[in-house]
Coordinates of all heavy atoms in Angstrom, one line a residue:
Chain U
L213 N -32.1 74.2 -55.6 CA -32.5 73.1 -54.7 C -31.3 72.6 -53.9 O -30.3 72.1 -54.5 CB -33.2 72.0 -55.4 CG -33.8 70.9 -54.6 CD1 -35.0 71.4 -53.6 CD2 -34.4 69.8 -55.5
T214 N -31.3 72.6 -52.6 CA -30.2 72.1 -51.8 C -30.5 70.7 -51.0 O -29.7 70.1 -50.8 CB -29.7 73.1 -50.9 OG1 -30.8 73.6 -50.0 CG2 -29.0 74.3 -51.6
K215 N -31.8 70.6 -50.7 CA -32.1 69.4 -49.8 C -33.5 69.1 -50.0 O -34.5 69.9 -50.2 CB -32.0 69.9 -48.4 CG -31.8 68.7 -47.5 CD -31.5 69.4 -46.0 CE -31.3 68.4 -45.0 NZ -31.0 69.1 -43.7
L216 N -33.8 67.8 -50.1 CA -35.2 67.2 -50.1 C -35.2 66.2 -48.8 O -34.5 65.3 -48.8 CB -35.3 66.4 -51.3 CG -35.7 67.2 -52.6 CD1 -35.5 66.1 -53.9 CD2 -37.0 67.7 -52.7
S217 N -36.1 66.6 -47.9 CA -36.4 65.8 -46.8 C -37.7 65.0 -47.2 O -38.7 65.4 -47.8 CB -36.8 66.6 -45.6 OG -35.6 67.5 -45.3
Y218 N -37.6 63.7 -46.9 CA -38.7 62.7 -47.4 C -39.0 61.7 -46.4 O -38.3 61.2 -45.6 CB -38.0 62.1 -48.7 CG -39.0 61.1 -49.4 CD1 -40.2 61.6 -49.9 CD2 -38.7 59.8 -49.7 CE1 -41.2 60.8 -50.7 CE2 -39.6 59.1 -50.4 CZ -40.8 59.5 -50.9 OH -41.5 58.8 -51.6
D219 N -40.3 61.5 -46.4 CA -40.9 60.4 -45.5 C -41.0 59.2 -46.4 O -42.1 59.0 -47.1 CB -42.3 61.0 -44.9 CG -43.0 59.8 -44.3 OD1 -42.3 58.9 -43.9 OD2 -44.2 59.9 -44.1
A220 N -40.0 58.3 -46.4 CA -40.0 57.2 -47.3 C -40.9 56.3 -47.0 O -41.5 55.6 -48.1 CB -38.6 56.6 -47.3
N221 N -41.3 55.9 -45.9 CA -42.4 54.9 -45.7 C -43.9 55.4 -45.4 O -44.7 54.7 -45.2 CB -42.0 53.9 -44.5 CG -41.8 54.7 -43.2 OD1 -42.0 55.8 -43.1 ND2 -41.2 54.0 -42.2
G222 N -43.9 56.8 -45.5 CA -45.2 57.4 -45.5 C -46.0 57.3 -44.1 O -47.1 57.3 -44.1
N223 N -45.1 57.2 -43.1 CA -45.8 57.1 -41.7 C -45.8 58.5 -41.2 O -46.0 58.5 -39.9 CB -45.1 56.1 -40.9 CG -43.6 56.6 -40.5 OD1 -43.1 57.5 -41.1 ND2 -43.0 55.9 -39.6
G224 N -45.6 59.6 -41.8 CA -45.7 60.8 -41.3 C -44.4 61.4 -40.6 O -44.4 62.6 -40.0
R225 N -43.3 60.6 -40.7 CA -42.0 61.1 -40.2 C -40.9 61.0 -41.2 O -40.7 60.2 -42.0 CB -41.8 59.9 -39.0 CG -40.5 60.3 -38.2 CD -40.4 59.3 -37.2 NE -39.1 59.4 -36.4 CZ -38.7 58.8 -35.4 NH1 -39.5 58.0 -34.9 NH2 -37.5 59.0 -34.8

Side-chain angles (χ1 to χ4, degrees):
Chain U
L213 179 66
T214 58
K215 195 177 190 181
L216 283 166
S217 302
Y218 185 56
D219 171 17
N221 58 9
N223 69 348
R225 186 173 170 177

